[in-house]
Amino acid sequence: MRKILLLDPEKCVACRLCEMACSILHGVTVSPVKSMIGIINLRKAGVNIPVVCQQCVKPLCADACPTGALSRNEETGAMVVDSDLCIACRMCTTACPLGGIAVDSEAGYSVKCDLCGGDPLCVKVCGYGAIRYLPEDVATLKRRRDAVKKLGAMMEKIVV
Amino acid sequence: MEIGGYTRNMLKIDLSSGGIKTDRLSMDLIKNFIGGYGTCTRLAYDLIKPGIDPLSPDNPIIISAGPLVGTPALSTSKTMAMYKYALNGVISHGSGGGEFGVRLKWAGFDHVIITGASEKPVYIDVYNDGAEIRDASHIWGKDTFEATGILWNEYEDSSVLTYGSAGEKEVRTTTAFIDKCTTMGKGGLPAIMGSKKLKAIVTRGTKGVKVVDPERLIEIALPIIEHCKNQANYDKIIELGTMAGFEGWFAVQGASTKNWTDTLPVDEAYRLYGPDVYLKNFKYERIADPGCLAGCKDHVKIREGEFAGLEAWGSSLYGRLENFAARCQVGSFNRFVKCLEFCNRTSACIHNLTALIDWAIDLYKRGVITKEDTDGLELDWNYVTTMALLEKVVCNEGFGAILGKGFYGAIKAIGRGCEKYAIHVKGMEPLYDARVNRLSTVEFYEVIGPRGAHPSPGGASTAYMTRDTPTSVYRKWAESWAIPEDALKRIFNPPSQWKVQRLVVWADVKSAVENSLGIGCIRSRAVSSYDAAPGGGMNAYVEIYKAITGLDATASGFLAAGHRICDLLKLLNMREGFTRKDDKFPDRWFEPTKRHGKDVWLEDYFGNRLTHEDCEKMLDEYYDERGWDIPLGIPTRQKLIENGLEDIASDLEKHGYKIP
């Protein structure tokens, strides 16, 4: 069973450890633009949303790519960039609905989450349980269970 | 040589001329003073001329983020600002976490040095390798929340340091805020910024910070992260934030009330302010500093009851709560949140003002002051008095203008023997009462700390401990800080006990290193985990530093730098006239307080009653551990030479200062 990243904005506190760790694992500079994962902090609402490639089953980035630089790693399920083929035309960045892929002009090609080859660092550094790496079926059931818990809390309020 | 961690850029902004330039940080400064707190202190020696008026253009603001700030080394967001305090005239620092320093580093700077004063309201926008001084007329007059919100809208992905009306009116008992939540600027940074017509500093950037050996950094960090996550009470720490420490403060120790003569009853504390109350009606959002696994900051919102819908932010929420609940007896969590919000918006310093209000009420009750002094207000320990006085302070009018000067200024203005009832050290209120927790490291630090009665030299804790913690725990900590064997022998003497007056020196040195590197407090529980983690403690700092910067480092080298920094900060304050006479235990600590209706006297950590004389002897030993002159309480020439500060000793002597 393929594993996916399960993101939980309610648990995210925007400590950015994942962002900073990811950015040095894929280079030597800590910078929010060098990270494959980004924490979008909607400060006025008090909500933090982790944004990272969801490794779509029907990836628009690959459809948009004119050189065929994006392909799936069958072992991890991650969409990966072939840096030799990529021409940094930014078509993938336009096509992606999530902002999950970006061009690194210094490197000269597109960069995106590759699930660290099947052992994602963001998951290991997160202390808050906001990013989990789970088999797809487990993740689906967990999402349902979490949703029901939220519903339960809501019902309690309605009854009271 | 290209190194990591440091950007080596210093941004120098002169508000008088509008001049902006960038200088390089010398490798000598890095080698001797690490960065952050250390380099700030060294720069302050040259930039803060002795005897200046803190609210004049002569007072510089020296901001620094250490080499680890802006990297995924754990909990490394600690940023320093050094200046002469408006509150009490010491030279020291305000420290803060949040994203301010991280984004400063990502913009390409280690330091920002602000001098002079502007004629019109301005703010500074720091962005990738440069900065602009911009017109602030649209945010001048706005409170902290409003000004922050406006600047957030103008600059997404930024961090904002600003303040409210009390700063614009140059009230000395104020503190500034990073992104609404994190306090930075003990001793009246808003007043100093206000005197410069500098309303805010925005940091943003994408240049980033280089890490020389990323794989090694991750290799060191992962086991520490695992250790932290696997603590038995980790979920509780995250759920409750600092409120996880409620029991320790309110029940195990005791929250001082009625101007340090009594403690708040425990059952009342739980009923009105306990963790259950907090979770049920107030907790809204948990906020963490960058890279921090023990996220403890709070965004609270009142769900039901008085002031429903009101929002406030707080770092160390339980501390703010203790101040309003015990010192001012505001009477409910709702009213506490209202006071918190008021102080957030106006920048009134909660630590300073709750102590000053507590004292003023005591003076009123004793008849030292009357309605004639208080603009007709009747003072009592309650919400109405507290809000009325806070409002007067932030408007800088009437009796509020007197309290807003801080203890030194207010004692002078009131006179009539009011000093007898003022519990302060160097014009600053203690946070902890040594009688309820016994004389532990933090309480001793309150007496000897150069900036006044603050329990630590920055966010990084000196060594928080509740009473009856076994000596073995201290021993383990001390060893993890790489304290040399001869000092361990002096501290743990006899081996079953420890001497607070000696351990505090090393706790201060360790904190100086942490504050210089940029390591935040990671709260006591998680700190102990950091120190206890495999390879944790000072050696972890060394390995992390090496991986990030590519420079060589040793634990003994860090500790030597720590001693150098502490000595230099003391000398900066010696230049302002602070010596042993100012390291003074508050007189009230030698009278009993009450706990559960019974008298509690000052005791050492092992339960032995302490007299004034005993405490003076402890001070002797403290200076001895420092290698300082015992009668004067300042570094000796010999010690300065040993610590690599001979140039400073000579410079001081050249200017007529006597170095023993």
Side-chain angles (χ1 to χ4, degrees):
Chain A
M1 178 77 62
R2 207 165 263 180
K3 282 180 155 184
I4 63 165
L5 287 174
L6 184 66
L7 309 171
D8 190 343
E10 288 198 1
K11 287 186 178 156
C12 178
V13 295
C15 77
R16 302 189 188 279
L17 197 51
C18 58
E19 212 178 83
M20 294 189 284
C22 176
S23 114
I24 51 163
L25 195 73
H26 292 83
V28 292
T29 309
V30 190
S31 163
V33 292
K34 296 278 183 187
S35 174
M36 310 298 134
I37 186 165
I39 304 302
I40 305 303
N41 183 354
L42 303 173
R43 297 188 274 203
K44 289 200 170 155
V47 178
N48 309 305
I49 303 179
V51 174
V52 63
C53 170
Q54 291 297 296
Q55 320 296 351
C56 304
V57 176
K58 293 175 184 167
L60 296 178
C61 54
D63 287 352
C65 181
T67 63
L70 279 147
S71 62
R72 193 172 302 277
N73 176 317
E74 287 307 326
E75 204 179 311
T76 61
M79 291 300 295
V80 291
V81 180
D82 184 330
S83 56
D84 291 335
L85 292 178
C86 176
I87 56 169
C89 68
R90 297 180 200 273
M91 289 298 284
C92 54
T93 64
T94 311
C96 176
L98 283 172
I101 188 163
V103 167
D104 183 337
S105 336
E106 264 175 70
Y109 50 83
S110 289
V111 290
K112 65 176 294 301
C113 170
D114 59 359
L115 295 171
C116 295
D119 187 17
L121 183 63
C122 53
V123 175
K124 287 194 275 191
V125 299
C126 182
Y128 301 90
I131 319 167
R132 286 174 290 176
Y133 189 51
L134 300 168
E136 206 171 13
D137 58 344
V138 178
T140 302
L141 294 175
K142 264 213 193 309
R143 247 192 234 290
R144 279 189 193 147
R145 188 165 285 273
D146 287 351
V148 167
K149 277 184 194 160
K150 279 178 215 161
L151 191 68
M154 200 167 75
M155 292 298 281
E156 205 171 274
K157 277 186 187 161
I158 292 168
V159 172
V160 170
Chain B
M1 177 179 67
E2 200 180 352
I3 57 173
Y6 299 94
T7 69
R8 291 191 62 196
N9 292 323
M10 288 197 281
L11 186 61
K12 292 185 169 173
I13 299 173
D14 182 29
L15 292 172
S16 298
S17 67
I20 298 174
K21 63 173 190 167
T22 301
D23 260 1
R24 295 287 281 169
L25 192 65
S26 79
M27 286 309 288
D28 262 0
L29 209 53
I30 288 173
K31 201 174 127 236
N32 293 320
F33 294 93
I34 304 175
Y37 184 56
T39 43
C40 266
T41 307
R42 183 61 188 86
L43 292 167
Y45 182 81
D46 293 331
L47 293 170
I48 305 179
K49 301 294 175 208
I52 57 161
D53 172 2
L55 298 181
S56 73
D58 298 334
N59 197 7
I61 301 169
I62 307 164
I63 296 170
S64 179
L68 271 49
V69 177
T71 77
L74 300 176
S75 202
T76 44
S77 64
K78 188 57 66 186
T79 304
M80 295 286 154
M82 199 166 273
Y83 40 84
K84 182 169 182 177
Y85 276 25
L87 176 73
N88 55 357
V90 303
I91 291 172
S92 196
H93 59 286
S95 73
E99 294 188 353
F100 184 77
V102 169
R103 293 195 185 273
L104 175 68
K105 291 287 295 284
W106 290 349
F109 296 101
D110 294 336
H111 281 280
V112 184
I113 299 167
I114 300 160
T115 53
S118 168
E119 279 175 14
K120 288 178 188 159
V122 291
Y123 71 95
I124 294 170
D125 170 26
V126 184
Y127 178 63
N128 287 357
D129 282 341
E132 299 275 348
I133 301 171
R134 298 189 194 276
D135 173 42
S137 49
H138 64 312
I139 46 172
W140 192 259
K142 302 285 183 200
D143 70 35
T144 311
F145 292 172
E146 292 164 344
T148 306
I150 290 167
L151 292 172
W152 278 353
N153 277 348
E154 286 176 32
Y155 307 102
E156 289 174 343
D157 301 306
S158 67
S159 182
V160 173
L161 173 75
T162 189
Y163 55 85
S165 60
E168 292 178 12
K169 291 190 193 302
E170 301 181 25
V171 175
R172 292 162 195 265
T173 46
T174 44
T175 188
F177 288 87
I178 294 167
D179 296 326
K180 288 188 188 179
C181 178
T182 302
T183 48
M184 170 145 150
K186 195 96 190 163
L189 179 60
I192 295 162
M193 287 175 74
S195 75
K196 296 182 181 308
K197 292 274 189 296
L198 174 61
K199 178 68 176 179
I201 306 170
V202 180
T203 57
R204 58 202 179 95
T206 52
K207 279 201 70 206
V209 176
K210 192 180 168 192
V211 171
V212 168
D213 192 345
E215 282 84 13
R216 175 74 182 130
L217 176 60
I218 290 165
E219 184 188 18
I220 305 159
L222 280 180
I224 300 174
I225 293 172
E226 272 309 298
H227 186 89
C228 202
K229 287 203 273 190
N230 290 335
Q231 287 177 98
N233 58 347
Y234 186 63
D235 287 348
K236 207 80 190 157
I237 289 176
I238 303 305
E239 187 193 15
L240 289 171
T242 60
M243 285 297 284
F246 185 89
E247 186 190 0
W249 201 335
F250 287 82
V252 179
Q253 299 170 32
S256 283
T257 184
K258 293 188 180 152
N259 201 24
W260 308 82
T261 58
D262 204 346
T263 47
L264 197 67
V266 179
D267 51 351
E268 185 187 324
Y270 271 93
R271 184 172 55 81
L272 297 174
Y273 310 106
D276 292 343
V277 179
Y278 157 77
L279 288 175
K280 188 162 176 257
N281 205 25
F282 302 95
K283 183 185 168 183
Y284 185 72
E285 183 197 1
R286 173 71 52 239
I287 296 171
D289 278 339
C292 183
L293 287 170
C296 66
K297 294 182 172 166
D298 272 278
H299 174 182
V300 290
K301 191 171 183 174
I302 302 176
R303 279 192 274 281
E304 284 174 11
E306 200 174 9
F307 311 116
L310 196 78
E311 291 175 80
W313 281 258
S315 39
S316 188
L317 190 80
Y318 80 144
R320 272 65 169 164
L321 174 65
E322 192 272 350
N323 288 174
F324 280 114
R327 290 177 180 175
C328 300
Q329 302 189 45
V330 293
S332 74
F333 208 117
N334 296 56
R335 288 178 172 186
F336 153 62
V337 174
K338 177 64 195 168
C339 293
L340 179 68
E341 187 245 15
F342 182 85
C343 293
N344 281 169
R345 284 187 185 273
T346 57
S347 292
C349 175
I350 295 173
H351 290 326
N352 291 166
L353 285 166
T354 52
L356 285 155
I357 288 170
D358 194 7
W359 171 61
I361 298 167
D362 194 25
L363 291 180
Y364 185 87
K365 294 263 176 192
R366 291 175 191 271
V368 179
I369 58 170
T370 66
K371 273 188 189 175
E372 301 218 337
D373 301 286
T374 63
D375 314 316
L377 282 177
E378 211 168 289
L379 306 190
D380 204 349
W381 285 285
N382 59 36
Y383 170 74
V384 174
T385 296
T386 305
M387 273 312 274
L389 290 179
L390 284 175
E391 273 167 19
K392 282 185 175 294
V393 168
V394 302
C395 294
N396 208 11
E397 50 179 52
F399 189 57
I402 291 174
L403 287 185
K405 291 179 198 294
F407 277 111
Y408 278 158
I411 287 168
K412 216 166 141 190
I414 296 171
R416 285 168 273 173
C418 68
E419 184 168 11
K420 193 179 162 201
Y421 308 104
I423 287 72
H424 72 96
V425 184
K426 304 179 186 79
M428 190 191 284
E429 71 295 335
L431 185 59
Y432 300 116
D433 188 334
R435 293 163 301 174
V436 295
N437 189 33
R438 296 177 179 161
L439 192 60
S440 166
T441 334
V442 286
E443 292 82 10
F444 199 88
Y445 195 83
E446 290 180 328
V447 178
I448 55 90
R451 65 170 161 173
H454 199 273
S456 72
S461 62
T462 33
Y464 288 105
M465 271 289 170
T466 50
R467 58 197 297 167
D468 300 329
T469 301
T471 300
S472 59
V473 174
Y474 278 96
R475 176 90 201 185
K476 205 170 154 194
W477 275 29
E479 282 169 6
S480 81
W481 303 346
I483 298 177
E485 198 56 42
D486 59 320
L488 287 175
K489 275 195 187 130
R490 291 191 300 270
I491 297 164
F492 296 93
N493 177 26
S496 61
Q497 294 193 351
W498 56 279
K499 288 182 190 285
V500 60
Q501 62 272 36
R502 292 193 183 273
L503 183 65
V504 75
V505 172
W506 296 90
D508 188 21
V509 165
K510 176 212 173 222
S511 296
V513 173
E514 290 173 331
N515 286 334
S516 300
L517 291 168
I519 295 173
C521 74
I522 332 176
R523 283 188 301 156
S524 48
R525 293 163 295 276
V527 165
S528 49
S529 158
Y530 205 142
D531 287 351
M538 192 58 74
N539 288 321
Y541 299 164
V542 169
E543 291 305 313
I544 287 170
Y545 180 84
K546 280 156 66 174
I548 289 174
T549 63
L551 297 170
D552 203 16
T554 58
S556 60
F558 274 175
L559 292 177
H563 280 291
R564 196 172 296 130
I565 295 160
C566 293
D567 283 9
L568 186 54
L569 187 69
K570 190 69 197 180
L571 289 175
L572 279 166
N573 285 290
M574 181 274 289
R575 235 170 28 172
E576 302 295 326
F578 292 91
T579 58
R580 175 164 180 161
K581 69 180 184 337
D582 303 288
D583 293 346
K584 186 174 175 295
F585 282 77
D587 289 335
R588 182 63 55 84
W589 283 5
F590 299 101
E591 295 163 17
T593 185
K594 288 211 179 321
R595 188 88 184 106
H596 309 301
K598 284 184 194 149
D599 280 356
V600 178
W601 295 84
L602 182 65
E603 291 172 347
D604 72 8
Y605 201 74
F606 301 94
N608 306 306
R609 183 95 162 254
L610 292 171
T611 63
H612 218 293
E613 241 175 35
D614 297 328
C615 288
E616 288 301 317
K617 275 187 202 146
M618 290 175 91
L619 275 177
D620 290 349
E621 273 194 83
Y622 160 74
Y623 300 122
D624 176 68
E625 189 65 32
R626 286 273 191 203
W628 290 0
D629 182 67
I630 292 174
L632 286 173
I634 57 170
T636 59
R637 187 164 226 290
Q638 188 199 337
K639 195 70 202 170
L640 292 174
I641 292 169
E642 273 172 41
N643 286 343
L645 292 171
E646 192 176 2
D647 55 333
I648 302 279
S650 302
D651 186 66
L652 284 168
E653 282 167 348
K654 203 176 86 190
H655 288 90
Y657 296 96
K658 280 203 180 108
I659 306 295

